[in-house]
Amino acid sequence: MKTMKVGNITIDSNIFTLIAGPCVIESETQVMEVASRMKDITGLLGIPFIFKSSFDKANRTSVSAFRGPGIHEGLRILKRVKDELGVPVVTDIHEPYQARIAAEVVDMLQIPAFLCRQTDLLTAAAETGLPVNIKKAQFLSAKDMKNVITKVEESGNEHILLCERGNTFGYNNLVVDMTSIIEMKKFGYPVVFDATHSVQKPGGNLTSTGGNREYVEHLAKAALAVGADLLFMEVHEDPDNAMSDGPNMVRLDEIEVMLKKLIKVYKAVHDFESISCSN
């Protein structure tokens, strides 16, 4: 697997790495609280941590849903996380012009699943030179990601991460095919498993997305067992009252216990692979 730097962190297949934060920036106070607490937890557990939150959620179910503070205010807040806490940051972009602006602050750009085939967006992200985390669309197979990868590579950037987040399975439901992780790893780039978006029920609450956070831990364990290199989780201090994606976000006060279990799975898998290779 190709290694790469995201801020001060090296992405390596032998190191459990977490991308986490609230779905959308709700307030500066909230972001600093969650980021600070997550830094403490991951520091205690000895795992690299990349903070994620969005300045805009352009694909909300309802036109009246909260989208975020916007690009300039959102990036100001993310810069504060980076400067004061020393934590690498990542955020979504939805339009090509946003890539260059966001790249002045963040350490990695993220392409939302619905937009992973948008050539202009991929090219703009690639041309910043930053690592690009590309979420596999809910309607694509793992093998279809080869064309997505090629667009970024041919734009001069091989700092690519691929993210599995489930596939559409009927109306308002997703299912995770764990073989997608295995297939995407064959491309030679790190594979991220998005454990919280994978339990979404898109549009399941009519004017908002539903979800079932009780499955997050189980799917994360399964993803690590088949070889996921990083985990992505959206975390919130009070998910039931969150402004976006509440039903599938992990509670901040429950994340430490969950991570301890997941680290054990990750270590067991890698220990087994080391034994197998030595034999």
Side-chain angles (χ1 to χ4, degrees):
M1 182 196 86
K2 294 185 179 181
T3 61
M4 66 194 72
K5 296 280 288 186
V6 178
N8 56 6
I9 288 175
T10 299
I11 303 299
D12 187 295
S13 60
N14 295 310
I15 303 172
F16 182 103
T17 302
L18 178 70
I19 303 170
C23 175
V24 66
I25 296 171
E26 296 180 9
S27 72
E28 186 169 355
T29 300
Q30 179 234 14
V31 163
M32 295 304 297
E33 176 188 346
V34 175
S36 178
R37 182 67 183 127
M38 287 303 303
K39 180 185 178 182
D40 290 344
I41 291 170
T42 53
L44 180 67
L45 298 177
I47 58 176
F49 166 56
I50 301 167
F51 180 78
K52 179 271 169 185
S53 197
S54 299
F55 58 77
D56 180 27
K57 300 299 290 186
N59 58 350
R60 297 303 307 277
T61 304
S62 170
V63 70
S64 61
F66 178 76
R67 289 180 50 168
I71 188 166
H72 297 293
E73 175 65 4
L75 289 175
R76 184 191 67 78
I77 293 170
L78 290 174
K79 187 175 188 300
R80 185 181 169 198
V81 171
K82 180 176 177 177
D83 291 346
E84 295 186 16
L85 300 179
V87 174
V89 294
V90 57
T91 196
D92 301 301
I93 56 170
H94 294 85
E95 298 182 63
Y97 83 89
Q98 295 175 342
R100 178 183 53 80
I101 300 172
E104 295 176 1
V105 172
V106 304
D107 300 284
M108 179 164 66
L109 297 171
Q110 182 165 282
I111 305 298
F114 285 128
L115 302 179
C116 77
R117 287 173 50 125
Q118 296 297 102
T119 303
D120 290 345
L121 184 63
L122 291 168
T123 299
E127 289 175 348
T128 67
L130 288 179
V132 184
N133 183 31
I134 310 168
K135 291 195 170 186
K136 179 174 72 63
Q138 300 90 329
F139 49 83
L140 288 185
S141 72
K143 292 181 179 179
D144 290 328
M145 290 299 284
K146 176 58 179 172
N147 294 320
V148 176
I149 291 169
T150 300
K151 291 178 181 182
V152 177
E153 289 176 334
E154 292 189 355
S155 299
N157 192 333
E158 294 187 352
H159 304 298
I160 300 168
L161 296 88
L162 304 174
C163 185
E164 168 60 39
R165 49 95 73 240
N167 278 76
T168 300
F169 190 72
Y171 297 116
N172 308 125
N173 197 30
L174 298 173
V175 65
V176 179
D177 178 359
M178 291 295 169
T179 65
S180 291
I181 295 172
I182 299 169
E183 288 298 320
M184 287 197 291
K185 282 177 71 73
K186 294 177 182 178
F187 296 128
Y189 290 105
V191 173
V192 183
F193 179 63
D194 183 344
T196 46
H197 284 102
S198 292
V199 302
Q200 276 186 336
K201 294 186 178 297
N205 292 338
L206 297 181
T207 58
S208 65
T209 289
N212 193 335
R213 72 175 69 96
E214 72 176 277
Y215 297 147
V216 169
E217 180 182 323
H218 302 291
L219 290 180
K221 287 176 179 175
L224 292 174
V226 299
D229 300 299
L230 300 88
L231 281 183
F232 177 109
M233 293 186 186
E234 289 191 325
V235 181
H236 194 283
E237 74 282 3
D238 183 14
D240 291 335
N241 290 297
M243 295 182 177
S244 175
D245 273 6
N248 50 268
M249 281 197 282
V250 177
R251 297 181 187 280
L252 182 58
D253 60 6
E254 296 177 357
I255 190 69
E256 183 175 349
V257 172
M258 185 184 297
L259 286 173
K260 287 179 178 178
K261 297 176 187 177
L262 295 173
I263 290 169
K264 288 181 180 179
V265 174
Y266 185 89
K267 186 175 186 301
V269 170
H270 284 258
D271 287 348
F272 177 78
E273 289 178 349
S274 297
I275 293 170
S276 299
C277 290
S278 64
N279 291 334

